[in-house]
């Protein structure tokens, strides 16, 4: 099935998504990778208010190459980074309201449980497709935590029909990566070498 | 020879490599799309190919991870200040192209902001009597590099042991190195030499076979087995997990059987230049 969603994401349409479905998103992306996740964790610990809204948010594990043209930031290239690096920190982000996590490679069992508990999903973007990614970003809406550096900072991006994204981990414990990995392990067990 | 020429060539190589996928890699991707049966895998391959073509047409980095600058230099003569000239090229390329700033101190994690630092760019050297320098760049992405593996097997493990280790490494890597991958396999040598052999194997053009029949056969058998795992493009299932398996080997200690695996993502970027003593430069070719 193919779905077109708009941010902020509400729970009902996300519940319908199953691993293997295709999604396009219009609205806002919040980029966050290693350092931004670590800082979010500090904020949660200190019960401090984040400088952006997580409720219904789409968190993109992406680090753009950016260029400043006059006063405006322009995205040169943006694609997904390996999500598993954020495994330890993601359940809290999902617990605080993030509704869709977008990246590549899938995430661990704790994240899968967090998705189920909070009715959220994990979506995969084709790795490396940074030129196509940049084309789907309409505007840079904001730059937060600039001190983390251009590629680690949080970028607020306006995206239009961002996709196709594959639902690879759904809110019902469906995990496409795990299914493929299990099958691959079975496949090599039987191989005569 | 002016080291300025080396610097300019390094920039030109980086500029070309991050935007233009070598034709052998693109052809392999297009070929695999024809054979792929899985609809999700087909869609992934279509996105990959569309992105690669768009990047090449607009001279934009095809992936936001423009990698670490790894160079291979085959030298026919010495150029004073060669390494510094390559490093200057990397620094300027980082600003001018631009490249993502990826090089950090391994302990403090401080980013130099210019993709250089102690030991970086890394340059593999080989020497050969000629009137030119062959300089190749391979921008190496982190996602695929993180899946590298080395095993010091017992010699009794034999060919089956080698195959088992390579297959398990590929399955363990799963989606992370951005399949369909090029699998570089190093066999023999010492531990460090074995890893270098695997890395050099990745650089070979896709579709090339080892000139030695028993090695070529192992390459083909491994490629067939890897594609039967069903990991597929981006690890979402399908027929295309690897575009190629390349093996390089070296003689090793009678007590040892080192095996190393180096992955290259489908964005198997590389660019080559030949720099002549008279200052002329030829870009392209392998």
């Amino acid at each position: 099935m193919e779905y077109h969603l708009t941010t902020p994401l509400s729970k009902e349409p996300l519940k319908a998504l199953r691993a293997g479905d295709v999604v396009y998103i219009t609205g806002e992306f919040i980029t966050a990778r290693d350092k931004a996740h670590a800082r979010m964790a500090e904020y949660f610990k200190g019960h401090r208010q984040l400088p952006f809204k997580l409720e219904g948010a789409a968190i993109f594990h992406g680090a753009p190459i950016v260029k400043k043209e006059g006063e405006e930031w322009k995205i040169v290239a943006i694609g997904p980074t390996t999500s598993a690096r954020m495994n330890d920190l993601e359940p809290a982000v999902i617990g605080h309201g993030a509704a869709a996590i977008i990246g590549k490679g899938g995430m661990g069992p704790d994240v899968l449980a967090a998705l189920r508990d909070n009715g959220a999903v994990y979506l995969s973007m084709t790795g490396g497709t940074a030129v196509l990614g940049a084309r789907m970003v309409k505007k840079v809406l904001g730059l937060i935590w600039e001190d983390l550096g251009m590629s680690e900072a949080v970028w607020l991006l306006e995206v239009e029909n961002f996709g196709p994204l594959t639902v690879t981990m759904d809110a019902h414990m469906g995990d496409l990566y795990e299914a493929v990995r299990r099958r691959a392990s079975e496949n090599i067990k039987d191989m005569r070498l | 020879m002016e080291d300025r020429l080396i610097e300019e060539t390094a920039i030109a190589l980086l500029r070309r490599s991050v935007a233009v996928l070598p034709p052998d890699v693109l052809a392999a991707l297009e070929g695999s799309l024809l054979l792929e049966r899985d609809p999700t895998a087909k869609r992934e391959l279509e996105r990959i190919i569309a992105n690669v073509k768009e990047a090449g047409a607009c001279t934009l980095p095809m992936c936001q991870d423009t990698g670490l600058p790894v160079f291979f230099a085959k030298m026919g003569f010495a150029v004073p200040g060669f390494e510094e000239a390559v490093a200057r090229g990397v620094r300027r390329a980082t600003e001018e192209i631009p490249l993502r700033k990826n090089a950090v101190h391994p302990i403090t994690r401080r980013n130099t902001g210019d993709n250089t630092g102690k030991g970086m760019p890394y340059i593999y050297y080989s020497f050969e009597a000629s009137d030119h320098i062959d300089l190749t760049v391979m921008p190496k992405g982190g996602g695929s590099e993180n899946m590298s593996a080395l095993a010091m097997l017992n010699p009794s493990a034999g060919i089956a042991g080698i195959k088992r280790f390579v297959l398990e490494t590929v399955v363990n890597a799963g989606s992370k190195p951005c399949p369909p991958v090029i699998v570089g396999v190093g066999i023999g040598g010492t531990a460090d030499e074995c890893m270098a052999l695997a890395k050099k194997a990745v650089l070979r053009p896709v579709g090339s076979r080892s000139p030695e029949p028993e090695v070529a056969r192992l390459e083909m058998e491994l490629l067939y087995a890897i594609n039967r795992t069903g990991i597929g493009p981006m690890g979402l299932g399908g027929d295309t997990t690897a575009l190629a398996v390349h093996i390089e080997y070296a003689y090793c200690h009678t007590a040892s059987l080192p095996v190393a695996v180096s992955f290259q993502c489908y964005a198997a970027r590389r660019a080559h230049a030949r720099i002549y003593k008279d200052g002329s430069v030829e870009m392209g070719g392998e």
Side-chain angles (χ1 to χ4, degrees):
Chain A
M1 287 286 284
E2 195 175 294
Y3 296 88
H4 291 257
L5 305 176
T6 310
T7 65
L9 299 157
S10 49
K11 302 276 173 196
E12 271 318 300
L14 295 183
K15 223 188 270 175
L17 301 180
R18 298 282 170 171
D21 286 341
V22 174
V23 171
Y24 292 81
I25 295 182
T26 297
E28 194 174 309
F29 270 13
I30 298 169
T31 74
R33 51 184 292 164
D34 310 63
K35 287 183 183 169
H37 274 74
R39 188 164 290 180
M40 277 193 268
E42 281 170 27
Y43 270 64
F44 298 150
K45 224 168 128 191
H47 303 287
R48 290 165 66 195
Q49 182 112 32
L50 289 175
F52 46 86
K53 208 171 156 250
L54 274 188
E55 198 55 45
I59 302 288
F60 184 31
H61 295 154
I65 300 175
V66 286
K67 227 190 208 167
K68 203 159 196 179
E69 287 181 355
E71 279 309 292
E72 295 234 332
W73 289 104
K74 201 172 172 289
I75 305 291
V76 178
I78 187 162
T81 192
T82 304
S83 298
R85 289 198 315 272
M86 275 68 79
N87 271 341
D88 294 347
L89 301 167
E90 207 70 77
V93 175
I94 297 165
H96 281 80
I101 309 296
I102 300 146
K104 76 172 177 79
M107 303 193 77
D110 291 350
V111 177
L112 189 63
L115 295 175
R116 177 198 56 201
D117 296 345
N118 295 279
V121 292
Y122 177 86
L123 309 171
S124 291
M125 177 181 176
T126 309
T129 55
V131 178
L132 300 184
R135 294 280 148 82
M136 297 182 288
V137 176
K138 290 297 143 202
K139 212 176 160 194
V140 174
L141 300 171
L143 168 58
I144 295 165
W145 296 341
E146 194 174 347
D147 62 298
L148 297 181
M150 286 297 97
S151 64
E152 295 275 1
V154 168
W155 295 87
L156 304 182
L157 307 174
E158 185 189 325
V159 301
E160 193 176 309
N161 261 322
F162 200 102
L165 302 167
T166 308
V167 181
T168 44
M169 297 166 76
D170 62 28
H172 314 278
M173 297 300 277
D175 184 341
L176 186 54
Y177 288 107
E178 186 51 33
V180 170
R181 199 158 38 226
R182 211 175 307 127
R183 211 165 51 225
S185 296
E186 285 301 313
N187 286 346
I188 64 167
K189 223 182 271 169
D190 300 337
M191 271 182 209
R192 228 187 304 146
L193 299 173
Chain B
M1 179 186 287
E2 284 183 49
D3 55 1
R4 177 88 187 171
L5 184 65
I6 305 291
E7 179 182 332
E8 293 294 339
T9 306
I11 297 174
L13 285 172
L14 281 161
R15 191 181 296 279
R16 185 179 169 81
S17 64
V18 297
V20 182
L21 197 64
D24 53 290
V25 185
L26 182 56
L29 285 167
E30 287 178 324
S32 61
L33 179 59
L34 294 176
L35 298 174
E36 188 59 65
R37 295 166 298 175
D38 184 284
T40 300
K42 271 193 168 158
R43 194 178 61 237
E44 293 299 303
L45 285 170
E46 279 163 3
R47 295 295 288 171
I48 285 169
I49 292 166
N51 184 69
V52 162
K53 287 188 171 168
E54 193 75 11
C58 311
T59 334
L60 286 168
M62 67 187 76
C63 176
Q64 89 280 0
D65 184 358
T66 47
L68 276 181
V70 175
F71 287 87
F72 297 81
K74 199 192 278 178
M75 318 275 287
F77 52 91
V79 177
F82 180 79
E83 283 186 18
E84 189 39 45
V86 173
R88 275 201 307 276
V90 169
R91 283 184 208 116
R92 278 183 53 202
T94 303
E95 278 316 305
E96 290 172 23
I97 294 176
L99 303 176
R100 204 172 71 184
K101 295 155 184 174
N102 284 333
V104 301
H105 187 291
I107 299 161
T108 65
R109 308 307 290 182
R110 191 184 76 83
N111 194 319
T112 52
D114 61 14
N115 281 316
T116 68
K118 187 172 155 65
M120 192 55 57
Y122 191 74
I123 305 174
Y124 285 91
Y125 289 98
S126 59
F127 303 94
E128 169 182 285
S130 68
D131 65 343
H132 56 255
I133 296 170
D134 281 311
L135 187 61
T136 303
V137 70
M138 175 167 75
K140 193 68 185 66
S144 58
E145 188 69 3
N146 284 349
M147 295 298 113
S148 309
L150 171 74
M152 303 303 284
L153 300 178
N154 286 326
S156 61
I159 290 180
I162 293 170
K163 283 184 175 172
R164 176 69 54 199
F165 174 67
V166 174
L167 275 173
E168 280 170 0
T169 302
V170 170
V171 170
N172 178 48
S175 61
K176 294 191 182 74
C178 281
V181 287
I182 294 166
V183 184
V185 181
I187 305 175
T190 54
D192 53 330
E193 186 187 3
C194 190
M195 205 66 242
L197 288 168
K199 180 68 111 280
K200 284 176 189 163
V202 157
L203 200 64
R204 264 172 44 194
V206 173
S208 64
R209 282 269 161 263
S210 167
E212 295 180 44
E214 64 269 32
V215 181
R217 188 179 156 172
L218 190 51
E219 289 175 343
M220 281 186 283
E221 286 173 354
L222 273 171
L223 179 61
Y224 179 71
I226 287 169
N227 284 329
R228 273 182 58 212
T229 60
I231 290 167
M234 299 312 302
L236 302 181
D239 301 311
T240 322
T241 303
L243 299 174
V245 176
H246 298 153
I247 299 173
E248 296 293 330
Y249 76 91
Y251 276 63
C252 62
H253 194 285
T254 184
S256 299
L257 177 51
V259 185
V261 178
S262 178
F263 289 93
Q264 181 60 296
C265 57
Y266 74 78
R269 296 157 286 184
R270 61 175 199 268
H272 168 263
R274 182 164 282 182
I275 307 161
Y276 290 93
K277 221 167 186 166
D278 65 5
S280 59
V281 178
E282 271 170 29
M283 291 283 291
E286 294 308 329

